[in-house]
């Protein structure tokens, strides 16, 4: 039987504690119903016997304290709520415990912004990690040695797992169920809980907001110029000339400040504007394309799909209110 430790940190998001517990417990019920033994011993593990969550609105009663767990097979780090730095400080005592059990052979999975606590262990340095796209900039600032993959739903790095934002953590839970219990059980759970099992990307859900909290005034002005002239074809040379910065210097400073190259930033701003138009207007795809400064339909479609994971038509069908109602 696999021992699973679902951590209950202070400031945990209740759903990401109870959700995994419920799905994993249901695996045991299903196995028993078909005459097979239970697979998981699921416990809620904390630093205290009672842990307030959701701003004190709920209290989680843990099954065991960290010091009582001698061996575990999988540690699940739930999403965290509130001021992430304060929440990390309040849960520092989990860090050596996670490291110790990983070194003893346990696997560790973080859900949503639970990645911040997992990354605090240093175990993710030099490895890929996913988290909620809204926390991406803060994550990069706090953990520059971790390779953040903003679009991913799941990462799997030598027994260290992470999920994308919000309820996409359920896709990681299914992934782990498939690993431990097999494909058939994972598919059954996906149907029972109505989770899209093959979902791999959170790109369609990302809303791009360029990072401006960096202190480089010239780069901030270049960002604003790009955002205010979305219909124009803007090149690196044009920006360098306009803001009197050498091309190489501009590219280096822009990447350092925003985590995007100039070309990537221009593309993401244009595609974000196209997404908003596809969500709310009746303009056809070509009209949307022209409105954001593209003239080549193929280039527009390829860039749109690269950033969102969907074609412009698929995106409109998914998010345009009139299409959904119609």
């Amino acid at each position: 039987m696999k021992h699973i430790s679902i951590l209950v940190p202070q400031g945990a998001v209740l759903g990401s504690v109870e959700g995994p517990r419920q799905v994993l417990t249901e695996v045991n019920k299903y196995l028993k119903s078909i005459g097979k033994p239970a697979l998981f011993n699921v416990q809620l593990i904390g630093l205290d016997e009672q842990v307030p969550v959701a701003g004190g609105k709920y209290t989680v009663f843990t099954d065991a304290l960290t010091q009582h767990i001698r061996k575990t097979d999988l540690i699940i780090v739930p999403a965290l709520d509130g001021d992430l730095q304060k929440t990390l400080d309040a849960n520092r005592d989990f860090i050596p415990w996670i490291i110790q059990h990983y070194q003893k052979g346990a696997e560790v999975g973080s859900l949503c912004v639970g990645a911040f606590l997992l990354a605090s262990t240093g175990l993710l340095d030099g490895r890929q990690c996913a988290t909620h796209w809204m926390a991406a900039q803060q994550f990069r600032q706090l953990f520059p040695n971790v390779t953040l993959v903003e679009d991913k739903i799941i990462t799997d790095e030598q027994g260290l797992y992470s999920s994308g934002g919000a309820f996409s953590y359920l896709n990681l839970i299914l992934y782990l169920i498939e690993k431990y219990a097999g494909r058939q059980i994972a598919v059954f759970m996906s149907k029972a809980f109505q989770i899209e099992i093959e979902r791999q990307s959170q790109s369609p859900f990302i809303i791009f907001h360029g990072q401006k909290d960096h202190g480089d005034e010239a780069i901030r002005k270049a960002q604003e110029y790009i955002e205010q002239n979305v219909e124009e074809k803007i090149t690196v040379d044009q920006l360098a000339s306009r803001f009197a910065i050498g091309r190489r210097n501009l590219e280096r400073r822009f990447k350092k400040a925003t985590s995007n190259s100039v070309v990537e930033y221009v593309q993401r701003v244009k595609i974000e504007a196209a997404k908003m138009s596809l969500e709310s207007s009746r303009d056809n795809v070509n009209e949307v394309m022209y409105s954001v400064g593209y003239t080549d339909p193929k280039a527009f479609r390829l860039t749109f799909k690269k950033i969102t994971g969907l074609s412009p038509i698929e995106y409109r069908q998914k998010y345009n209110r009139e299409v959904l109602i119609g």
Side-chain angles (χ1 to χ4, degrees), residues 105-121:
E107 298 188 313
V108 189
S110 65
L111 312 182
C112 190
V113 293
F116 281 71
L117 184 55
L118 178 53
S120 296
T121 65

Side-chain angles (χ1 to χ4, degrees), residues 20-300:
R21 190 203 66 80
Q22 186 178 7
V23 177
L24 293 166
T25 302
E26 197 64 32
V27 170
N28 287 342
K29 292 179 182 178
Y30 175 67
L31 287 170
K32 288 180 180 179
S33 74
I34 59 174
K36 294 184 178 181
L39 182 60
F40 300 127
N41 175 17
V42 184
Q43 288 192 300
L44 303 181
I45 308 300
L47 300 172
D48 299 293
E49 292 179 354
Q50 299 181 30
V51 183
V53 298
K57 289 183 172 61
Y58 303 94
T59 298
V60 176
F61 294 84
T62 57
D63 298 309
L65 303 182
T66 51
Q67 62 263 35
H68 299 150
I69 302 300
R70 296 194 176 189
K71 184 182 184 303
T72 189
D73 297 293
L74 174 65
I75 300 166
I76 295 176
V77 184
L80 306 171
D81 198 10
D83 184 311
L84 284 171
Q85 189 59 65
K86 290 181 180 178
T87 304
L88 290 177
D89 292 340
N91 291 288
R92 288 287 172 191
D93 288 347
F94 276 116
I95 292 174
W97 186 85
I98 294 171
I99 295 171
Q100 175 192 4
H101 282 277
Y102 179 71
Q103 292 173 341
K104 289 167 64 175
E107 298 188 313
V108 189
S110 65
L111 312 182
C112 190
V113 293
F116 281 71
L117 184 55
L118 178 53
S120 296
T121 65
L123 295 173
L124 287 173
D125 287 358
R127 295 173 174 169
Q128 291 189 345
C129 178
T131 190
H132 198 297
W133 58 265
M134 291 180 69
Q137 288 297 337
Q138 185 178 4
F139 188 91
R140 288 191 181 98
Q141 290 169 355
L142 289 176
F143 308 108
N145 295 325
V146 180
T147 303
L148 181 65
V149 282
E150 197 171 337
D151 63 317
K152 295 285 188 182
I153 290 290
I154 296 169
T155 64
D156 179 346
E157 292 274 317
Q158 299 177 0
L160 298 169
Y161 307 93
S162 62
S163 81
F167 292 104
S168 68
Y169 73 77
L170 289 168
N171 292 91
L172 176 57
I173 300 302
L174 284 182
Y175 181 86
L176 294 169
I177 289 171
E178 181 171 356
K179 176 176 180 176
Y180 290 127
R183 178 73 176 180
Q184 179 184 351
I185 305 298
V187 168
F188 180 84
M189 288 300 120
S190 77
K191 293 178 178 179
F193 287 93
Q194 300 182 41
I195 307 166
E196 189 178 342
I197 192 169
E198 298 294 353
R199 198 170 133 223
Q200 297 293 323
S201 174
Q202 58 183 340
S203 292
F205 304 98
I206 294 174
I207 302 172
F208 180 66
H209 295 291
Q211 157 69 359
K212 296 190 179 72
D213 186 22
H214 48 64
D216 192 325
E217 184 64 16
I219 297 304
R220 186 183 63 79
K221 288 181 178 178
Q223 290 175 264
E224 291 175 349
Y225 179 79
I226 293 169
E227 292 165 8
Q228 292 166 5
N229 295 275
V230 68
E231 74 285 352
E232 300 293 333
K233 288 187 176 181
I234 299 173
T235 67
V236 178
D237 287 331
Q238 287 173 337
L239 285 176
S241 175
R242 183 176 187 86
F243 294 99
I245 306 173
R247 178 187 173 114
R248 287 187 178 181
N249 191 25
L250 172 65
E251 290 181 315
R252 177 183 60 79
R253 287 167 61 182
F254 202 99
K255 180 74 172 181
K256 180 180 179 181
T258 69
S259 300
N260 290 279
S261 70
V262 175
V263 171
E264 288 170 344
Y265 197 90
V266 170
Q267 288 179 339
R268 296 195 69 171
V269 167
K270 289 179 178 293
I271 296 306
E272 190 60 34
K275 285 164 57 182
M276 293 174 66
S277 183
L278 290 168
E279 290 168 17
S280 60
S281 78
R282 295 185 178 184
D283 293 346
N284 63 41
V285 171
N286 280 345
E287 289 170 331
V288 170
M289 175 188 73
Y290 292 130
S291 73
V292 297
Y294 278 89
T295 55
D296 182 343
K298 183 178 180 181
F300 175 67

